[in-house]
Amino acid sequence: MADLSFESTFAGLICGVDEAGRGPCAGPLCVAAVILDPANIPEGIDDSKALTEKRRFELEPLIKEAAVCWSVITMTVEEIDCLNILAATMEGMKRAVEALTPCAEHALIDGNRCPKLAIPSTPLVGGDSRSLSIAAASILAKTARDRIMIEMDIVYPVYGFKKHKGYQAESHLEALRRHGPSPIHRTSWATIRELSWGESA
């Protein structure tokens, strides 16, 4: 269960950093950074994957209101295709940390590597289920991205983005075979290259 054990080992303001959208073949990558107030933490914060969509959206405003500060950065499909997903993730994390006011003095990063930051940072594998700060960031990143994909479902209704959020569900792959990629599909993804024109070659 996520708690503040890792945060308590460092002095000063500690931010948690996490992303949503590394795996999908459509839509942006969203990265969040959060500095929690240890004396005012909303009940129910957990790894976003362990929560229902409804619960994530309920917690989102509570986290934003109670946190010392927070930021959410969106890396566009164009940036992802240009940089590659790992580099885009590192850049998004860097931007998210730099956007915090007041500034963090240490960053806890979900995963096994850290971006290049001006402050010390610590990678934490499975951090979204171990650190409350990272868990809070995971919720803000996930809700921000889900909101974008729900909006994109209205713009590009044939793909079913509201349901699968751009992940490779069979209904999504079938829509790609039938309609080809939309402007928000990641053209650098093998899935898009193969399904949109490779299979008919």
Side-chain angles (χ1 to χ4, degrees):
M1 186 68 179
D3 57 27
L4 293 175
S5 298
F6 291 98
E7 287 86 340
S8 65
T9 62
F10 303 102
L13 295 175
I14 312 302
C15 72
V17 185
D18 201 2
E19 52 73 29
R22 285 188 70 165
C25 62
L29 174 81
C30 289
V31 185
V34 180
I35 299 177
L36 291 176
D37 176 359
N40 186 20
I41 296 178
E43 187 176 349
I45 294 177
D46 200 354
D47 175 3
S48 64
K49 297 185 291 296
L51 302 171
T52 64
E53 182 176 283
K54 179 176 182 290
R55 186 59 178 146
R56 289 193 294 267
F57 278 112
E58 289 172 347
L59 282 166
E60 179 190 29
L62 301 180
I63 292 168
K64 290 180 175 180
E65 182 179 352
V68 173
C69 60
W70 58 272
S71 68
V72 176
I73 298 297
T74 299
M75 299 296 292
T76 66
V77 171
E78 291 77 17
E79 288 175 307
I80 293 168
D81 283 336
C82 178
L83 295 172
N84 77 51
I85 190 60
L86 176 59
T89 300
M90 294 296 104
E91 176 62 23
M93 288 180 167
K94 179 175 181 290
R95 293 180 191 178
V97 172
E98 292 176 347
L100 293 172
T101 304
C103 298
E105 295 165 80
H106 197 105
L108 294 176
I109 309 292
D110 184 59
N112 61 4
R113 67 181 71 197
C114 295
K116 293 181 180 179
L117 300 172
I119 62 172
S121 58
T122 301
L124 193 58
V125 175
D128 43 10
S129 62
R130 302 166 71 190
S131 156
L132 276 173
S133 299
I134 295 177
S138 77
I139 292 169
L140 296 194
K142 178 65 173 165
T143 52
R145 188 177 189 279
D146 282 358
R147 190 173 288 109
I148 291 170
M149 297 310 292
I150 290 168
E151 292 171 355
M152 289 299 99
D153 185 71
I154 298 171
V155 180
Y156 307 108
V158 298
Y159 299 100
F161 289 136
K162 183 177 180 180
K163 184 175 181 181
H164 53 66
K165 308 302 192 293
Y167 284 87
Q168 287 92 314
E170 183 53 42
S171 61
H172 186 191
L173 301 182
E174 180 56 35
L176 277 167
R177 294 185 190 102
R178 183 170 301 188
H179 303 285
S182 74
I184 68 162
H185 279 94
R186 301 173 182 178
T187 56
S188 59
W189 253 237
T191 301
I192 303 303
R193 294 197 306 269
E194 292 166 3
L195 287 174
S196 58
W197 55 82
E199 287 191 351
S200 60

